[in-house]
């Protein structure tokens, strides 16, 4: 997958993004619809792993762990909005996005765990901070609604480019997880792009907050596109994607939305990141403390 | 609140007009009476007595508020759910409740009140919601007990409401009941898993059932001889069974299910009365019920404050969305005008 252009057509945005999914694109991509019965579930992957039908290589497992941790930490962040959103429709929408992310996390972690005889819950609840492989963007605090939308905007455009290419992975399980996830993430793109427009072009206050939100999250964009030995090896084998190869499409498509919103691409210094090597920000410890507390009070218990 | 926008009537009605109005009123009442007698449905544009409208508006908006406030005790455990599967189920459940609130606010809006007004009444402390949500969700097992007992009681109450005489309410209830029934089963399953787990887990489950049992029984409302509104609601085919009748049915169901759970109900006086053919339970603390209803429950202030905070914090977002929508509408109108 070193040359993704040969596998997939150039991505487009949502056409007239002010209209949204309902006006363009594939309506079956909406995460509010029930996923068809034959879609891949984490339980199916667990069964395949248990019966020896699939087993990821050490490299693929490490890679799946990264993607799973990104989605898990984001789901944990987004879940907090449920019952706190600016309007009920957003309780539902952000809840949906959190659920989608959690679903992707469960699939990736279940698959990754197959290499080490660990379950999704072993990996989610019984690893410590330095063992997590999520990028710093995902652990950034929710902030106000504009910060959450800014983070969501970057994440959804990044994940869309990533999953779109991963559907062509030579690793069948990664490809299958990505095929399900890309449809859901397409809806997330639509959700965040529409809010970028509303907030940027709504009122003076919302515009100031949106500008500030983008400024807060932008230092963590760079880390998403950094290649390392693992991604280079996996991309060489056609199993994964070089993060740097997503950058051009990401820049172009987010740039289109920001231009329509009459916003500048923030020119903020880039933070060094390090999440893929287990170096995290101060935030992750609190996230894990809360997420893991009950499971760790009852080690070995089943729920 | 469309009536507030009407122009004042310039002159008093003429005698002929007054007579015509009285005739329309009488025709409306006759149609309404026939609908009640036929056990058929009233729709938003039909004539209805002012008191019927008021009763429904109160009941449906209270129900909507209960769904929205009811999200809080469960949202409290989303971040700490002990497995990823449970986390996903809980998120989906709390999200369903937001959806139920939305259908119900929409049903209430067909009676002429805006969601904004209902929300304002809620956060001003003027509107009620189910008292049960003023109790704290202290442990993970509360997620099981709330699903099993609280959603279970809600289903007993709500299944007959699918046949409520007001069309939009009845139809909203059909969908809500389907989801509630799933919620109850997931609550039961949480408790079953805990009950068959470690001694600490089983104790957690029993403790939660002990705490939620009596408040759940009180969800059916005061005893029949102390329920002033029930009779009229039954005459209007909104309510189909009395509070005590529903409570008794619920106790009967729980007696069966608690055995499967391997837990006990904290009520030594539960028995089937062979003469009345009804289930009976021990005395309930109606003083506590009234206290919580009056705002003096464990979490009343906390729940309202959380709703107020979310609403206030979100004000700038709603304003931005409205301003953007207005700008877009203007743009489209200009485009059409030019074309």
């Amino acid at each position: 997958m070193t040359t993704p252009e040969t596998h997939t057509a150039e991505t487009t945005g949502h056409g007239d993004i002010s209209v949204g999914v309902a006006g363009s694109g594939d309506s079956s991509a909406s995460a509010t619809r029930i996923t068809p019965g034959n879609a891949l579930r984490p339980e199916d992957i667990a069964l395949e792993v248990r019966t020896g039908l699939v087993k990821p290589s050490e490299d693929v497992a490490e890679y799946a762990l990264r993607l799973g941790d990104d989605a898990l930490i984001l789901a944990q962040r987004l879940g907090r909005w449920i019952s706190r959103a600016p309007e009920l429709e957003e309780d539902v929408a952000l809840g949906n996005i959190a659920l989608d992310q959690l679903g992707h996390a469960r699939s990736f972690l279940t698959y990754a765990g197959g290499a080490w005889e660990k379950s999704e819950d072993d990996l989610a609840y019984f690893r410590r901070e330095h063992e997590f492989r999520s990028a710093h963007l995902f652990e950034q605090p929710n902030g106000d609604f504009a910060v959450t939308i800014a983070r969501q905007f970057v994440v959804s455009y990044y994940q869309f480019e990533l999953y779109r290419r991963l559907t062509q992975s030579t690793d069948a399980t990664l490809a299958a997880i990505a095929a399900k996830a890309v449809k859901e993430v397409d809806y997330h793109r639509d959700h965040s792009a529409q809010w970028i427009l509303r907030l940027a072009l709504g009122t003076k206050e919302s515009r100031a907050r949106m500008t500030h939100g983008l400024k807060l999250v932008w230092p963590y964009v760079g880390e998403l596109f950094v290649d390392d030995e693992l991604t280079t090896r996996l991309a060489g084998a056609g199993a994964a994607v070089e993060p740097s190869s997503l950058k051009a499409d990401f820049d172009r498509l987010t740039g289109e939305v920001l231009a329509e919103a009459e916003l500048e691409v923030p020119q903020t210094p880039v933070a060094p990141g390090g999440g893929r090597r287990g170096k995290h920000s101060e935030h992750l410890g609190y996230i894990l403390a809360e997420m893991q507390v009950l499971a760790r009070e009852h080690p070995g218990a089943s729920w | 609140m469309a009536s507030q926008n009407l122009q004042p009537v310039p002159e008093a009605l003429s005698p002929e007009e007054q007579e015509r109005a009285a005739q329309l009123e009488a025709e409306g009442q006759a149609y309404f009476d026939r609908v009640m007698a036929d056990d058929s449905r009233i729709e938003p544009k039909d004539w209805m007595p002012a008191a019927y409208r008021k009763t429904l508006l109160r009941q449906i908006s209270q129900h909507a508020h209960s769904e929205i406030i009811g999200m809080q005790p469960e949202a409290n455990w989303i971040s700490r759910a002990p497995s990823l599967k449970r986390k996903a189920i809980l998120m989906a459940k709390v999200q369903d409740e937001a959806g139920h609130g939305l259908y119900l606010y929409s049903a209430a809006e067909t009676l002429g009140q805006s969601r904004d007004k209902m929300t304002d009444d809620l956060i001003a402390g003027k509107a009620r919601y189910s008292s049960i949500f003023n109790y704290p969700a202290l442990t993970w097992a509360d997620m099981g007990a709330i699903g099993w007992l609280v959603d279970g009681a809600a289903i007993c109450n709500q299944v007959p409401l699918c046949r409520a005489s007001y069309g939009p309410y009845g139809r909203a209830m059909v969908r809500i009941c389907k989801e509630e029934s799933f919620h109850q089963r997931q609550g039961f399953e949480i408790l079953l898993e805990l009950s068959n787990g470690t001694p600490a887990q089983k104790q957690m489950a029993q403790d939660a059932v002990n705490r939620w049992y009596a408040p759940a029984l009180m969800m059916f409302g005061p005893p029949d001889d102390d329920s002033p509104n029930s009779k009229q609601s039954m005459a209007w085919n909104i309510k189909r069974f009395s509070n005590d009748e529903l409570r008794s049915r619920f106790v009967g169901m729980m007696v069966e299910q608690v055995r499967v759970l391997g837990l006990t109900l904290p009520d030594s006086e539960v028995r089937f009365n062979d003469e009345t053919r009804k289930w009976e339970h021990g005395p309930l603390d109606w003083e506590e019920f009234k206290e919580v209803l009056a705002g003096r429950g464990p979490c009343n202030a906390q729940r309202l404050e959380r709703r107020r905070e979310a609403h206030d914090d979100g004000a700038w977002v709603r304003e931005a969305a409205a301003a953007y929508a207005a700008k877009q509408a203007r743009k489209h109108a200009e485009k059409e005008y030019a074309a």
Side-chain angles (χ1 to χ4, degrees):
Chain A
M1 297 214 57
T2 41
T3 51
E5 295 79 3
T6 60
H7 294 280
T8 43
E10 185 179 71
T11 333
T12 58
H14 283 276
D16 181 358
I17 43 183
S18 64
V19 179
V21 159
S24 65
D26 175 9
S27 63
S28 68
S30 166
T32 58
R33 282 164 200 271
I34 294 165
T35 312
N38 59 356
L40 185 73
R41 299 172 311 143
E43 287 80 5
D44 303 327
I45 300 173
L47 184 70
E48 287 186 348
V49 165
R50 227 178 15 252
T51 54
L53 218 58
V54 298
K55 185 177 164 75
S57 69
E58 186 73 19
D59 272 1
V60 166
E62 275 293 333
Y63 183 72
L65 195 62
R66 294 179 179 188
L67 307 191
D69 285 348
D70 285 352
L72 175 61
I73 298 304
L74 182 63
Q76 185 73 6
R77 280 295 194 209
L78 287 173
R80 187 168 167 84
W81 278 106
I82 304 174
S83 78
R84 291 182 175 86
E87 53 190 356
L88 295 178
E89 285 81 353
E90 280 306 302
D91 281 295
V92 176
L94 291 172
N96 251 327
I97 295 172
L99 264 173
D100 289 343
Q101 292 287 333
L102 185 54
H104 308 162
R106 294 184 60 204
S107 291
F108 282 126
L109 293 181
T110 298
Y111 187 43
W116 312 304
E117 292 181 9
K118 288 193 185 303
S119 70
E120 52 174 307
D121 287 337
D122 294 335
L123 292 174
Y125 291 96
F126 295 93
R127 276 181 303 154
R128 294 169 58 202
E129 278 170 80
H130 67 274
E131 296 168 290
F132 272 76
R133 293 290 176 264
S134 43
H136 286 210
L137 176 68
F138 301 89
E139 59 201 57
Q140 294 309 305
N142 286 342
D144 66 8
F145 187 70
V147 177
T148 290
I149 290 301
R151 187 183 62 200
Q152 209 46 46
F153 176 61
V154 174
V155 168
S156 59
Y157 277 79
Y158 158 72
Q159 286 183 334
F160 183 82
E161 294 308 319
L162 173 61
Y163 295 152
R164 184 172 73 88
R165 288 164 174 81
L166 266 190
T167 58
Q168 308 295 319
S169 170
T170 52
D171 185 290
T173 306
L174 284 183
I177 299 171
K180 178 170 189 287
V182 73
K183 292 186 208 147
E184 297 173 348
V185 169
D186 192 20
Y187 162 81
H188 305 174
R189 285 200 310 173
D190 182 60
H191 174 265
S192 67
Q194 289 203 51
W195 272 113
I196 293 271
L197 292 177
R198 286 190 198 110
L199 297 182
L201 304 174
T203 64
K204 211 173 145 191
E205 181 183 7
S206 67
R207 184 169 181 82
R209 286 179 185 257
M210 191 66 251
T211 308
H212 182 64
L214 287 166
K215 221 165 97 184
L216 280 183
V217 305
W218 223 261
Y220 309 101
V221 173
E223 183 186 8
L224 302 176
F225 302 102
V226 174
D227 302 335
D228 62 11
E229 287 179 10
L230 178 71
T231 56
T232 305
R233 274 201 307 275
L234 287 170
V241 183
E242 285 276 41
S244 60
S245 70
L246 313 174
K247 185 83 168 44
D249 279 344
F250 172 88
D251 285 347
R252 181 172 54 80
L253 291 167
T254 53
E256 283 174 12
V257 177
L258 293 177
E260 177 151 358
E262 296 164 26
L263 292 169
E264 303 283 329
V265 178
Q267 299 298 319
T268 47
V270 179
R276 305 296 187 213
R277 301 187 308 278
K279 288 176 182 294
H280 292 281
S281 70
E282 291 174 346
H283 305 300
L284 187 65
Y286 292 93
I287 296 174
L288 297 188
E290 190 172 342
M291 184 174 81
Q292 296 178 337
V293 61
L294 180 59
R296 286 182 176 231
E297 268 177 38
H298 302 266
S302 135
W303 300 94
Chain B
M1 304 308 292
S3 61
Q4 285 176 353
N5 299 326
L6 292 179
Q7 295 296 314
V9 178
E11 294 172 32
L13 292 175
S14 68
E16 293 79 37
E17 284 169 323
Q18 277 180 22
E19 195 181 323
R20 178 68 191 137
Q23 197 187 335
L24 282 175
E25 184 89 356
E27 280 169 19
Q29 180 75 54
Y31 177 74
F32 182 84
D33 291 343
R34 201 171 72 222
V35 167
M36 290 302 127
D38 294 350
D39 200 357
S40 181
R41 279 199 154 151
I42 289 293
E43 295 298 335
K45 287 183 174 162
D46 293 339
W47 184 93
M48 62 187 92
Y52 175 84
R53 183 184 297 273
K54 194 175 158 199
T55 296
L56 274 170
L57 195 52
R58 181 177 52 89
Q59 181 170 340
I60 302 173
S61 61
Q62 279 182 12
H63 191 165
H65 297 329
S66 302
E67 295 283 357
I68 299 309
I69 297 288
M71 292 167 72
Q72 292 183 29
E74 293 176 289
N76 185 42
W77 282 93
I78 289 175
S79 65
R80 292 174 292 170
S83 77
L84 296 186
K85 185 178 176 188
R86 292 286 176 207
K87 189 192 289 286
I89 294 170
L90 186 60
M91 268 188 192
K93 177 175 193 280
V94 182
Q95 191 201 29
D96 280 351
E97 282 152 13
H100 296 175
L102 281 170
Y103 316 144
L104 288 164
Y105 282 128
S106 299
E109 284 189 312
T110 65
L111 291 161
Q113 194 163 81
S114 72
R115 187 166 123 198
D116 286 347
K117 170 75 167 75
M118 290 183 264
T119 304
D120 288 346
D121 285 351
L122 173 66
I123 59 184
K126 287 190 221 159
R128 282 185 172 162
Y129 55 86
S130 181
S131 270
I132 193 88
F133 302 117
N134 290 316
Y135 292 89
L138 299 174
T139 72
W140 172 252
D142 290 40
M143 298 304 96
I146 289 175
W148 181 52
L149 289 169
V150 176
D151 293 334
I155 292 168
C156 278
N157 248 331
Q158 291 171 2
V159 166
L161 287 174
C162 297
R163 294 189 286 127
S165 58
Y166 189 57
Y169 191 31
R171 287 188 289 272
M173 292 317 302
V174 171
R175 180 157 176 191
I176 290 174
C177 281
K178 279 185 195 161
E179 294 181 349
E180 288 293 353
S181 132
F182 170 74
H183 293 174
Q184 194 201 13
R185 274 178 289 162
Q186 70 86 35
F188 181 87
E189 204 210 341
I190 288 177
L191 290 176
L192 188 64
E193 190 85 32
L194 292 174
S195 178
N196 291 317
T198 65
Q201 285 179 302
K202 181 161 187 174
Q203 193 190 351
M204 194 193 287
Q206 184 63 58
D207 168 66
V209 170
N210 292 351
R211 281 181 290 110
W212 289 95
Y213 171 74
L217 290 197
M218 291 195 275
M219 282 173 70
F220 294 95
D224 292 348
D225 51 20
D226 190 24
S227 180
N229 299 324
S230 284
K231 220 172 172 175
Q232 180 62 72
S233 281
M234 287 175 80
W236 277 332
N237 298 340
I238 299 172
K239 196 174 167 68
R240 300 285 176 169
F241 303 101
S242 80
N243 294 351
D244 286 335
E245 167 67 27
L246 290 169
R247 190 165 16 242
S248 161
R249 285 188 194 183
F250 177 66
V251 169
M253 281 164 51
M254 295 300 105
V255 165
E256 293 292 317
Q257 294 177 13
V258 81
R259 266 188 228 127
V260 182
L261 285 175
L263 301 171
T264 56
L265 295 177
D267 185 344
S268 57
E269 294 177 47
V270 168
R271 69 181 192 107
F272 187 74
N273 184 325
D274 284 319
E275 275 169 38
T276 60
R277 312 294 299 160
K278 285 189 194 314
W279 283 94
E280 293 175 352
H281 54 82
L284 294 167
D285 185 354
W286 291 106
E287 278 313 305
E288 177 184 304
F289 180 78
K290 285 174 186 161
E291 283 294 294
V292 179
L293 205 60
R296 293 184 287 271
C299 301
N300 296 57
Q302 177 193 335
R303 300 287 187 241
L304 263 195
E305 180 55 21
R306 165 88 159 273
R307 186 88 298 267
R308 187 181 303 127
E309 199 180 9
H311 189 71
D312 291 352
D313 287 353
W316 69 270
V317 178
R318 297 189 300 276
E319 282 160 20
Y324 178 72
K327 281 179 199 170
Q328 289 297 105
R330 252 197 323 272
K331 239 202 240 168
H332 285 298
E334 279 165 19
K335 244 195 242 169
E336 275 183 23
Y337 184 72

